[in-house]
Amino acid sequence: MRAYELARELGVESKDVLARAAELGITISSASSGLDGDTAALLRLAFEEEAAAAPEASPAAPAARPAPPPAAPPPAPPVPAIPTLAVRAGVTVAGLAEAAGRPVGDVVKILLARGQMAGAAQPVPADHLEAVAAALGFAVRIEEAPAAPAAAAPSRPAAAASRPTGTVHRPPVVTVMGHVDHGKTKLLDRIRTANVVAEEAGGITQHIGAYQVRLGDRRITFIDTPGHEAFTSLRARGAEVTDIVVLVVAADDGVMPQTAEAISHAKAAGVPIVVAINKMDLPGADPYGVRAQLTEHGLLVEQLGGDVVSAEVSALTGDGIEQLLEYLDLIAELEEFSADPTAPASGTVIESELDRGRGPLGTVIVQQGTLRRGDAIVAGAVAGRVRAMFDHTGAQVDAAPPSTPVLIMGWDDVPRAGDRFEVVRDERAARSTAAERAGTLRSKELVVPTAAERLQSLLDELRSGEEAELRIIVKADTQGSQEAIREAVGKIGRTGGRITIVHAAVGGINENDVLLADATRSVIFGFDVRPDAKSRRAAEEAGIEIRTYRIIYELLDDVEAMLVGRLAPESVERLLGAAEVRAVFRSPRFGSIAGCYVTEGELTRGGRVRLVRNGVVTYDGAIASLRRFKDDARSVAAGFECGVGLENFKDVKEGDVLEAYEVQEVART
């Protein structure tokens, strides 16, 4: 039996069970932790005694029992060169972490590095105890435990009455993320078919971008746009919709690059994460290995002494789906998601389209208040009136309470996904507000800050802020380079300032990095990697600063200089042109000749050029020969084909990208 199941049996909240267990000296890490029979019986008895004693309690508050006098401190031993920890034989992972003043996760990671997997409540293996303590910076001494006086019972947590008056519990809004092919869409389909289709008339499902599932008398809302790209693009526009993120990891594949990206995106949003270990029906499934890999990315699951909930599921067979939904419902209960259904309705547009028969359509999630048919609404620069609303089953509804997704007909134009909507007095007020916003948006679009202007604004903040924070995204060519940069950046600091690495990974700079940088106001640093053409254009449009380096010390110097709000003069690269290698030919005079198509700018004979393969710089040198057909050419512009010979480099492959550039000396702020 788990703690939350006992809470439901007793008719109390899960946090009350955790508090009563703490009073009795029983350690329960979370509401999803398992309870043995004796513990469950003891907690039942405690609640029964409380219920029996309640009618007999005197109205006068009983006098507070004096706390036992503190034990006299033992005489201080002489201070050794290395501090010594005095622990009992068979000390648990949690006990050792507490004695060392370190998080439980640090001890778990050290044990994992030594090939030992142990949770918080398990004992530290005796033959590894000294080595683990040494890794924490301590010597260890085994001693008998002294008889400790009974600790005063901690106070019970306050009830949910701390919520603002008028608010009620609302269903959580959940987004599913993970690596490609790990089963995100299949998991969403399984949840939908298991919980939704049975309720629909005729079993016809209408895709509106979100849907609700029922769990007993409670509901859970899922945003049906899996992937961290959609999640972060909404956040970049200021839409904070998601309450919980489900991270899908394949049990036979483990943590992959997009899994690490999804973890960074979810952490940047600051929302609870539930790990769904999928594909448990496969013979190569290894859930314990997946949990161990997650610790390397800062996610410590409950089985290893952390606070991240994980569930083993199979989207193909449906095993574990019900438990996953129960975990989501449990987190919603503990987080106490609430809204005021009587307030004016407002929320977020999550999807929109232009339908040939029904006109502009927009799917919204109501976050406050209750949206009703006939309400005048405005979202961004688009006004409208709710002429009809449809739920995820395709049925018309007259009202939508908080956390309900509905498809709205009646917009004057197609609203933009990520814009907030709100109910106003009437259609005239809606159109007036929309017209004002349209004018503001047009003026903003005419003056989009460049990357240099955005960087200047960031430097001004770092100079003036007492508690300044510099957020960076690091991309490198190899895992070793990435780890070295992370470690070195972690040592950089100043009084009143800190650096936060929002995301670090191996590979070229892509559009997802630009989206994350836009949502978190970060600067992208690349070491021996380059952005592709789409990423470069997206960064220019959003005004995102991308800085690339070939020498690690230059990167670290710039990070440190940026933290204190000033940058030394630098040599800036200006991209002159780019070309794709579509074929490779052999020449007895020049060796390998790259048959290229120039995609932008122009290539010039003798100019500097770099060769980029899968986002990583493979060669940096000069163009030795440039030809159009059989004739030598001084330069070749975009839209034309040419043959390129590189100076002292012959390992050219189809699919490589050539980038022509020049270096200019530019003064920095």
Side-chain angles (χ1 to χ4, degrees), residues 455-539:
L455 178 60
Q456 179 62 46
S457 174
L458 173 62
L459 292 175
D460 291 341
E461 286 183 23
L462 291 170
R463 286 193 199 101
S464 59
E466 294 181 359
E467 290 295 332
E469 180 185 21
L470 172 63
R471 300 185 184 96
I472 66 173
I473 293 171
V474 177
K475 299 301 288 287
D477 57 340
T478 65
Q479 185 69 27
S481 299
Q482 184 245 111
E483 290 176 357
I485 292 170
R486 285 189 69 132
E487 184 177 351
V489 167
K491 298 176 182 177
I492 298 174
R494 71 170 172 87
T495 304
R498 60 192 175 93
I499 299 173
T500 300
I501 300 178
V502 175
H503 177 59
V506 174
I509 299 168
N510 55 43
E511 285 184 281
N512 287 336
D513 301 321
V514 175
L515 272 176
L516 183 58
D518 193 18
T520 58
R521 298 188 69 226
S522 302
V523 179
I524 300 175
F525 287 85
F527 178 71
D528 241 355
V529 295
R530 297 287 302 170
D532 55 30
K534 289 183 179 179
S535 307
R536 196 164 50 246
R537 282 194 294 270

Side-chain angles (χ1 to χ4, degrees), residues 189-278:
D189 290 343
R190 169 62 67 175
I191 292 172
R192 183 192 298 113
T193 54
N195 294 271
V196 179
V197 173
E199 304 173 7
E200 298 173 5
I204 300 173
T205 301
Q206 176 171 338
H207 177 76
I208 67 169
Y211 61 91
Q212 282 191 329
V213 301
R214 194 188 297 272
L215 187 65
D217 59 346
R218 299 174 183 262
R219 292 177 179 269
I220 301 173
T221 300
F222 284 87
I223 296 180
D224 195 4
T225 51
H228 49 274
E229 299 92 341
F231 172 84
T232 303
S233 64
L234 287 177
R235 284 192 63 235
R237 296 176 190 157
E240 302 291 345
V241 185
T242 302
D243 297 316
I244 305 171
V245 165
V246 172
L247 179 68
V248 179
V249 187
D252 63 330
D253 210 7
V255 175
M256 301 296 285
Q258 285 187 353
T259 313
E261 282 187 13
I263 292 171
S264 297
H265 286 244
K267 283 185 174 181
V271 296
I273 299 174
V274 175
V275 178
I277 303 176
N278 193 22

Side-chain angles (χ1 to χ4, degrees), residues 586-645:
R586 304 295 172 186
S587 164
R589 181 180 172 189
F590 294 104
S592 296
I593 301 295
C596 301
Y597 176 80
V598 183
T599 57
E600 58 181 298
E602 67 175 5
L603 302 186
T604 304
R605 187 175 68 232
R608 293 189 66 85
V609 68
R610 67 169 61 89
L611 185 144
V612 182
R613 182 174 298 158
N614 298 325
V616 178
V617 178
T618 304
Y619 166 80
D620 194 336
I623 297 177
S625 66
L626 185 65
R627 289 195 170 195
R628 281 273 298 150
F629 301 105
K630 295 185 178 181
D631 301 323
D632 288 335
R634 182 181 296 275
S635 64
V636 179
F640 293 95
E641 295 179 339
C642 60
V644 178

Side-chain angles (χ1 to χ4, degrees), residues 344-574:
S346 62
T348 301
V349 180
I350 61 170
E351 206 168 78
S352 59
E353 63 174 318
L354 181 62
D355 186 86
R356 295 183 65 179
R358 296 183 290 178
L361 301 176
T363 299
V364 305
I365 288 184
V366 181
Q367 293 174 279
Q368 283 288 348
T370 301
L371 183 64
R372 292 181 170 83
R373 191 166 62 178
D375 283 344
I377 54 176
V378 59
V382 179
R385 185 172 70 86
V386 182
R387 305 188 187 282
M389 285 193 299
F390 304 89
D391 64 11
H392 59 275
T393 69
Q396 283 204 44
V397 294
D398 294 326
S403 291
T404 302
V406 286
L407 179 72
I408 295 178
M409 288 177 55
W411 301 97
D412 292 349
D413 199 354
V414 179
R416 190 175 66 163
D419 281 347
R420 284 193 61 79
F421 82 87
E422 56 190 7
V423 171
V424 294
R425 185 178 64 257
D426 52 32
E427 286 188 75
R428 177 178 295 180
R431 290 195 172 95
S432 174
T433 303
E436 289 178 10
R437 292 180 180 176
T440 304
L441 286 174
R442 276 195 297 272
S443 62
K444 285 184 177 179
E445 287 172 358
L446 292 173
V447 189
V448 178
T450 64
E453 291 169 340
R454 193 161 174 168
L455 178 60
Q456 179 62 46
S457 174
L458 173 62
L459 292 175
D460 291 341
E461 286 183 23
L462 291 170
R463 286 193 199 101
S464 59
E466 294 181 359
E467 290 295 332
E469 180 185 21
L470 172 63
R471 300 185 184 96
I472 66 173
I473 293 171
V474 177
K475 299 301 288 287
D477 57 340
T478 65
Q479 185 69 27
S481 299
Q482 184 245 111
E483 290 176 357
I485 292 170
R486 285 189 69 132
E487 184 177 351
V489 167
K491 298 176 182 177
I492 298 174
R494 71 170 172 87
T495 304
R498 60 192 175 93
I499 299 173
T500 300
I501 300 178
V502 175
H503 177 59
V506 174
I509 299 168
N510 55 43
E511 285 184 281
N512 287 336
D513 301 321
V514 175
L515 272 176
L516 183 58
D518 193 18
T520 58
R521 298 188 69 226
S522 302
V523 179
I524 300 175
F525 287 85
F527 178 71
D528 241 355
V529 295
R530 297 287 302 170
D532 55 30
K534 289 183 179 179
S535 307
R536 196 164 50 246
R537 282 194 294 270
E540 289 171 358
E541 291 171 2
I544 300 300
E545 178 78 5
I546 298 178
R547 311 181 74 83
T548 57
Y549 303 84
R550 299 297 306 275
I551 301 173
I552 192 169
Y553 298 108
E554 292 180 357
L555 184 153
L556 298 175
D557 288 345
D558 272 7
V559 170
E560 186 170 8
M562 194 175 290
L563 183 62
V564 298
R566 63 177 181 271
L567 291 172
E570 68 169 345
S571 297
V572 175
E573 293 177 0
R574 188 168 74 90

Side-chain angles (χ1 to χ4, degrees), residues 33-59:
S33 300
L35 305 177
D36 56 33
D38 292 341
T39 302
L42 182 60
L43 288 170
R44 284 194 193 95
L45 181 61
F47 277 98
E48 289 171 2
E49 289 177 351
E50 181 183 10
E56 305 170 5
S58 169

